[in-house]
């Protein structure tokens, strides 16, 4: 189920968006939980972070959409914000609040559905995934986000993670096969890196959280391509 | 190699090698003042002459190492006296070496011919030597001058460099094969033939290198013309967009006059308020200039947004233009001008106006700038060689450059470009390292 908030002060537009969302539900068999707000301050006051997508009007009476988005970003870095506006000028600056996109009024169903579809695709990417690795006294459950990179050291794999290092017997190829769909990339024979943490790509290496890790010559272009794909999904 | 068919005196070869390098000093930017350059040149001539004369008497086994040493000193001479990179100095050195081989070989061939014909005067040798070298190097100088040697060298790529190197090595090996191996289909035992082969193969090699270089120069010039055309086009579009907005303002001006008259006449307060609200909204909707944080982008997107509005295209953009501050204006124009033109042309082919959607993003992600220009598209994509799609336009001669020049611009900043279609969206994605 996807939780969507509509923040729109004009009743006709608010109703129209709700109608479109219901139509989308029918067409794509996705369940939405829709909440309506009538001004920016309504959603900001007592913000619960319970939404996946916020459809936000920019021009509103008490608190405009841009300020509301700023306040929300302070509390919630993950929610996808889509502005609904007739002011292109403001919306272009949406990057400042990490807005995903905007829809220009009058809203038509086709473009609405396209943009919503892209937002949903991005949310799906953010689903939490875990990896279990055996340690001396049992198993450790690691969120994939916590893993920076995996280094092969003979028959042992070194996991460099937010919780420290783990040395576990294992095979690089198997880990590559399982993790490559989740934003990991084999940059070198001995390294499987989390694309999320790549800061820079250099001539024959990459900077990952300040560490210089090797990238094989023929993998450099592929790494750039993978990074692009990763950024396209906007999983920040 | 007896009798009149003696091989080229080593001193002549040294002179030819030195003269070829000296010719390049006129074509390249010199590192030091004239005085220092002259001293360097004299020194180089002395070194070259001593080296070649000393190694002259060595057996054939040492012939290749001594040639390599000679080339090395030519390289040092060029690199030390010219303001140049290691690669372009290497490229010039290779060419100079081939030229020297050719000049020496040609001179010696004429020499032996005249000797056989009975000309035996001592002074004649010097006239011939000076004449042939002067003519050869003079001619090459005149040929190279218009090839913009400096500009070309500045843009010399590794691939071109290695290609030229391979060519020179190959020509050199081939032209001297007869001196080492006598039994092969490409060699001869007759001295006159051996000299002939050497001169002609050297000539062929030089001709090939010039053809190659002039083609590369033309190619670079084409690239530049294309970029300039793009800038001009976007400037023209900007002008047009100003013209269009002026027209729009004139229409609104007359509208506004009527509206004010109407408002004056309106007595009901509530209706008056609503009227004013409606006017305000309309004003916002007609706000056309955008502020992305980058003036060049403002111009390009301003023009395109207006064009989009007129043709019923829904174009949205979330752009942090300040991120592109490190890029040259021409490159920004090339990338966004071409990408947006393509997107616009693509969506205009859709019969349903509500499907004409374009979305542009410029955002920052760690050490990268991520650019994405996407448009709704129901066509299949034909991918050409080098993973850029083939042009869909019928006029293949003049189209299909767009994406190529985008890639060319992006690669200048060590970035990457990919294109593809996913769920009916054509996406052009660019990743640039921040600078």
């Amino acid at each position: 189920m996807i939780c969507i908030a509509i923040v729109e002060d004009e009743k006709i537009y608010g109703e129209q968006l709700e109608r479109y969302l219901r139509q989308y539900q029918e067409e794509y068999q996705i369940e939405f939980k829709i909440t309506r707000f009538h001004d920016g301050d309504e959603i900001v006051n007592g913000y619960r972070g319970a939404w996946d997508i916020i459809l936000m009007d920019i021009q509103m009476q008490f608190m405009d959409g841009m300020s509301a988005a700023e306040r929300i970003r302070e509390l919630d870095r993950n929610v996808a914000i889509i502005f609904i506006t007739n002011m292109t000028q403001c919306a272009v600056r949406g990057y400042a609040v990490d807005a995903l996109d905007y829809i220009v009024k009058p809203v038509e169903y086709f473009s609405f559905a396209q943009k919503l579809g892209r937002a949903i695709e991005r949310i799906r990417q953010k689903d939490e995934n875990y990896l279990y690795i055996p340690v001396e006294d049992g198993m450790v459950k690691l969120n994939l986000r916590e893993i920076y990179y995996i280094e092969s050291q003979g028959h042992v794999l070194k996991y460099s993670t937010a919780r420290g290092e783990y040395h576990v017997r294992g095979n690089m190829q198997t880990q590559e096969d399982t993790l490559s769909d989740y934003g990991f990339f084999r940059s070198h024979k001995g390294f499987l890196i989390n694309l999320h943490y790549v800061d820079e790509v250099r001539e024959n290496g990459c900077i990952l959280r300040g560490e210089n890790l090797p990238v094989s010559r023929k993998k450099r272009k592929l790494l750039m391509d993978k990074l692009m794909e990763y950024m396209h999904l906007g999983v920040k | 190699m007896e009798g009149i068919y003696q091989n080229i005196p080593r001193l002549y070869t040294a002179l030819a090698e030195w003269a070829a390098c000296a010719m390049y000093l006129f074509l390249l930017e010199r590192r030091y003042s004239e005085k220092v350059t002259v001293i360097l040149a004299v020194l180089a001539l002395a070194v070259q002459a001593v080296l070649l004369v000393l190694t002259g008497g060595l057996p054939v086994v040492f012939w290749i190492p001594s040639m390599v040493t000679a080339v090395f000193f030519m390289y040092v001479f060029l690199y030390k006296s010219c303001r140049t990179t290691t690669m372009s100095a290497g490229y010039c050195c290779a060419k100079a070496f081939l030229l020297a081989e050719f000049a020496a070989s040609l001179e010696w061939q004429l020499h032996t011919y005249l000797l056989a014909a009975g000309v035996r005067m001592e002074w004649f040798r010097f006239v011939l030597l000076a004449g042939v070298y002067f003519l050869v190097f003079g001619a090459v100088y005149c040929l190279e001058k218009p090839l913009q040697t400096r500009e070309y060298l500045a843009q010399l790529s590794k691939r071109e460099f290695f290609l030229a190197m391979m060519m020179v090595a190959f020509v050199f090996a081939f032209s001297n094969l007869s001196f080492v191996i006598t039994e092969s289909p490409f060699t001869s035992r007759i001295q006159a033939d051996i000299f002939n082969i050497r001169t002609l193969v050297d000539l062929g090699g030089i001709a090939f290198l010039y053809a190659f270089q002039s083609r590369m120069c033309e190619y670079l010039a084409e690239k530049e013309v294309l970029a300039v055309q793009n800038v001009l086009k976007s400037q023209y579009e900007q002008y047009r967009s100003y013209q269009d907005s002026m027209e729009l303002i004139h229409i609104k001006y007359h509208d506004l006059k009527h509206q004010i008259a109407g408002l004056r006449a309106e007595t009901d307060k509530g209706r008056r308020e609503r009227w004013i609200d409606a006017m305000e909204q309309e004003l916002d909707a007609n706000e056309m200039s955008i502020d992305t944080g980058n003036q060049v982008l403002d111009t390009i997107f301003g023009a395109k947004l207006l064009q989009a509005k007129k043709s019923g295209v829904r174009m949205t953009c979330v752009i942090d233009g300040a991120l592109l501050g490190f890029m040259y204006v021409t490159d920004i124009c090339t990338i966004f001008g071409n990408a947006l033109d393509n997107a616009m042309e693509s969506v205009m082919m859709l019969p349903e106006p509500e499907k004409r959607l374009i979305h542009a993003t410029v955002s920052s992600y760690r050490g990268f700038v991520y650019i994405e220009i996407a448009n709704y598209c129901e066509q299949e994509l034909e991918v050409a060689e080098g993973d850029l799609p083939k042009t869909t336009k019928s006029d293949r001669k003049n189209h299909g450059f767009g994406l190529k020049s985008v890639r060319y611009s992006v690669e200048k900043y060590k970035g990457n470009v990919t294109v593809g279609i996913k769920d009916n969206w054509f996406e052009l994605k660019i990743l640039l390292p921040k600078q």
Side-chain angles (χ1 to χ4, degrees):
Chain A
M1 190 177 64
I2 293 172
C3 299
I4 300 180
I6 299 173
V7 191
E8 169 65 79
D9 60 344
E10 278 168 277
K11 208 173 158 211
I12 343 159
Y13 285 125
E15 278 169 3
Q16 187 192 35
L17 290 175
E18 203 171 329
R19 213 168 47 243
Y20 284 169
L21 284 173
R22 301 217 184 283
Q23 190 180 339
Y24 193 92
Q25 271 191 113
E26 295 266 307
E27 275 174 28
Y28 292 88
Q29 298 299 314
I30 296 175
E31 211 185 325
F32 290 148
K33 182 170 169 279
I34 306 165
T35 317
R36 290 261 304 269
F37 295 93
H38 303 281
D39 197 275
D41 61 356
E42 271 183 42
I43 188 168
V44 168
N45 288 337
Y47 184 80
R48 291 183 286 121
W51 293 283
D52 299 304
I53 299 172
I54 299 175
L55 300 171
M56 176 97 78
D57 185 19
I58 289 194
Q59 278 174 303
M60 285 180 294
Q61 219 186 346
F62 298 105
M63 184 187 274
D64 67 272
M66 213 29 106
S67 322
E70 269 169 35
R71 299 282 291 278
I72 289 169
R73 268 290 169 259
E74 285 168 17
L75 305 163
D76 185 351
R77 288 183 40 78
N78 287 322
V79 61
I81 299 175
I82 298 177
F83 287 118
I84 312 286
T85 180
N86 47 25
M87 296 197 306
T88 306
Q89 169 67 300
C90 266
V92 172
R93 287 259 174 196
Y95 64 84
V97 290
D98 199 11
L100 203 57
D101 206 340
Y102 61 94
I103 302 173
V104 182
K105 284 183 192 172
V107 183
E108 280 170 351
Y109 179 70
F110 184 80
S111 62
F112 177 80
Q114 289 294 321
K115 285 170 190 289
L116 188 66
R118 301 191 109 199
I120 291 170
E121 187 196 353
R122 283 169 212 227
I123 289 163
R124 294 239 161 101
Q125 294 292 324
K126 279 185 189 166
D127 284 348
E128 309 257 293
N129 290 294
Y130 297 92
L131 183 74
Y132 293 87
I133 52 173
V135 288
E136 277 169 28
D137 44 354
M139 290 283 223
V140 174
K141 181 185 176 194
L142 281 171
N143 187 330
L144 292 188
R145 262 307 159 74
E146 292 178 299
I147 304 174
Y148 303 147
Y149 65 89
I150 302 170
E151 183 184 347
S152 146
Q153 297 175 332
H155 294 288
V156 174
L157 295 179
K158 180 185 115 184
Y159 293 77
S160 171
T161 76
R163 290 195 239 166
E165 283 180 10
Y166 295 96
H167 295 262
V168 183
R169 280 186 78 85
N171 179 289
M172 200 61 156
Q173 191 58 47
T174 352
Q175 287 305 31
E176 187 191 351
D177 294 343
T178 27
L179 295 176
S180 59
D181 285 341
Y182 299 95
F184 280 78
F185 179 72
R186 184 86 170 266
S187 66
H188 184 269
K189 213 164 56 208
F191 286 88
L192 186 64
I193 60 175
N194 190 343
L195 292 174
H196 185 76
Y197 294 105
V198 176
D199 288 317
E200 265 177 64
V201 177
R202 301 222 171 133
E203 207 55 52
N204 44 22
C206 66
I207 308 291
L208 197 140
R209 291 178 51 88
E211 256 185 280
N212 201 343
L213 301 183
V215 176
S216 14
R217 215 165 236 292
K218 26 176 210 211
K219 290 275 183 91
R220 188 181 175 272
K221 193 185 172 313
L222 199 60
L223 172 60
M224 291 289 269
D225 289 350
K226 288 282 171 206
L227 274 171
M228 253 189 271
E229 222 173 89
Y230 189 74
M231 279 172 215
H232 164 68
L233 295 169
V235 205
K236 291 193 179 176
Chain B
M1 296 174 203
E2 293 298 312
I4 56 167
Y5 288 117
Q6 251 181 349
N7 205 353
I8 310 171
R10 301 289 274 186
L11 196 60
Y12 285 23
T13 312
L15 193 64
E17 284 171 356
W18 174 82
C21 288
M23 183 204 75
Y24 275 102
L25 291 195
F26 289 104
L27 286 166
L28 301 171
E29 194 185 348
R30 284 177 292 278
R31 206 186 277 265
Y32 306 108
S33 67
E34 253 171 57
K35 224 165 110 189
V36 181
T37 311
V38 169
I39 296 171
L40 265 172
V42 171
L43 213 70
L45 178 60
V47 169
Q48 205 75 19
V50 169
L51 177 80
L52 282 180
V53 171
L54 280 184
T55 55
L58 296 173
V60 172
V61 197
F62 294 104
W63 180 66
I64 288 180
S66 70
M67 257 0 225
V68 171
T69 324
V71 172
F72 172 73
F73 278 111
M74 284 170 79
Y75 175 79
V76 171
F77 175 36
L78 270 174
Y79 184 68
K80 279 288 161 206
S81 48
C82 295
R83 209 181 288 280
T84 176
T85 61
T86 46
M87 202 160 79
S88 49
Y91 180 78
C92 287
C93 175
K95 280 210 311 187
F97 178 65
L98 200 59
L99 268 176
E101 283 283 302
F102 171 68
S105 174
L106 178 69
E107 194 274 340
W108 194 246
Q109 211 179 339
L110 291 174
H111 180 99
T112 39
Y113 175 76
L114 290 171
L115 213 62
V119 185
R120 298 215 175 237
M121 277 169 282
E122 262 313 299
W123 61 267
F124 187 77
R125 294 177 134 218
F126 298 104
V127 172
L128 187 68
L129 185 72
V132 169
Y133 285 10
F134 185 78
L135 277 179
V136 168
F137 296 123
V140 171
Y141 176 79
C142 295
L143 275 174
E144 280 239 4
K145 192 101 197 175
L147 280 183
Q148 309 157 312
T149 312
R150 281 180 209 179
E151 283 82 4
Y152 174 68
L153 289 173
Q155 303 192 48
L156 188 71
S157 74
K158 265 188 197 153
R159 230 186 103 212
E160 288 155 36
F161 173 73
F162 282 115
L163 203 70
M165 285 294 158
M166 295 270 292
M167 191 63 208
V168 170
F170 179 74
V171 167
F172 178 70
F174 216 94
S175 68
N176 286 295
L177 210 57
S178 301
F179 292 98
V180 188
I181 310 161
T182 42
E183 290 302 329
S184 90
F186 308 106
T187 53
S188 174
R189 283 164 175 282
I190 307 163
Q191 279 296 325
D193 278 356
I194 292 178
F195 288 166
N196 247 332
I197 289 171
R198 181 167 61 183
T199 313
L200 290 177
V201 169
D202 284 343
L203 183 65
I206 289 167
F208 170 82
L209 275 182
Y210 282 98
F212 176 68
Q213 184 171 342
S214 64
R215 181 67 204 105
M216 284 318 290
C217 283
E218 271 169 40
Y219 178 64
L220 289 173
E222 266 166 34
K223 283 262 163 71
E224 207 162 297
V225 167
L226 218 64
V228 171
Q229 272 173 353
N230 263 313
V231 176
L232 287 178
K233 203 172 128 210
S234 77
Q235 275 170 347
Y236 175 70
E237 266 169 24
Q238 179 187 13
Y239 167 73
R240 285 290 302 272
S241 100
Y242 280 143
Q243 222 177 16
D244 287 347
S245 9
M246 281 310 286
E247 247 167 66
L248 210 70
I249 288 167
H250 273 296
I251 295 168
K252 292 289 161 200
Y253 168 79
H254 286 285
D255 239 29
L256 211 60
K257 273 199 145 174
H258 292 299
Q259 301 233 26
I260 289 171
L263 271 172
R264 279 229 176 85
E266 182 60 68
T267 43
D268 181 72
K269 205 180 170 208
R271 262 199 284 184
R272 221 159 122 165
E273 283 294 312
R274 274 200 298 278
W275 196 341
I276 290 173
D277 281 348
M279 277 169 73
E280 195 180 40
Q281 272 195 0
E282 203 186 347
L283 274 180
D284 286 335
N286 281 302
E287 166 85 70
M288 269 304 140
S289 71
I290 60 165
D291 177 18
T292 63
N294 181 306
Q295 283 184 338
V296 185
L297 279 188
D298 290 353
T299 307
I300 297 173
F301 276 93
K304 293 291 172 199
L305 277 169
L306 194 73
Q307 193 192 337
K309 201 176 170 90
K310 282 173 86 181
S311 5
V313 174
R314 280 144 191 78
M315 182 158 128
T316 52
C317 33
V318 179
I319 296 176
D320 186 353
L323 293 171
L324 301 181
F326 66 89
M327 289 179 82
Y328 288 112
V329 175
T330 47
D331 295 322
I332 295 177
C333 286
T334 304
I335 292 171
F336 289 92
N338 278 311
L340 290 173
D341 278 354
N342 284 348
M344 201 68 96
E345 272 173 50
S346 166
V347 294
M348 288 313 287
M349 286 196 280
L350 292 162
E352 306 93 333
E354 74 271 12
K355 288 186 178 174
R356 294 176 187 161
L357 304 173
I358 297 177
H359 184 66
T361 314
V362 176
S363 60
S364 146
Y365 186 84
R366 296 185 189 273
F368 303 95
V369 178
Y370 177 64
I371 301 169
E372 184 185 310
I373 290 152
N375 62 273
Y376 187 78
C377 172
E378 287 174 345
Q379 255 187 335
E380 288 294 317
L381 196 67
E382 232 188 302
V383 176
E385 198 191 341
D387 60 30
L388 289 183
K390 276 190 188 158
T391 178
T392 52
K393 292 158 206 153
S394 50
D395 182 9
R396 274 172 200 273
K397 215 170 171 187
N398 294 316
H399 288 108
F401 284 119
L403 279 179
K404 256 184 227 159
S405 50
V406 168
R407 184 161 69 176
Y408 178 72
S409 288
V410 168
E411 282 174 357
K412 267 205 265 183
Y413 299 91
K414 297 200 185 309
N416 256 39
V417 185
T418 59
V419 289
I421 287 197
K422 208 178 143 205
D423 304 331
N424 282 336
W425 278 83
F426 175 88
E427 296 159 344
L428 171 74
K429 290 177 264 185
I430 296 169
L431 192 63
L432 297 166
K434 270 186 206 165
Q435 280 165 18

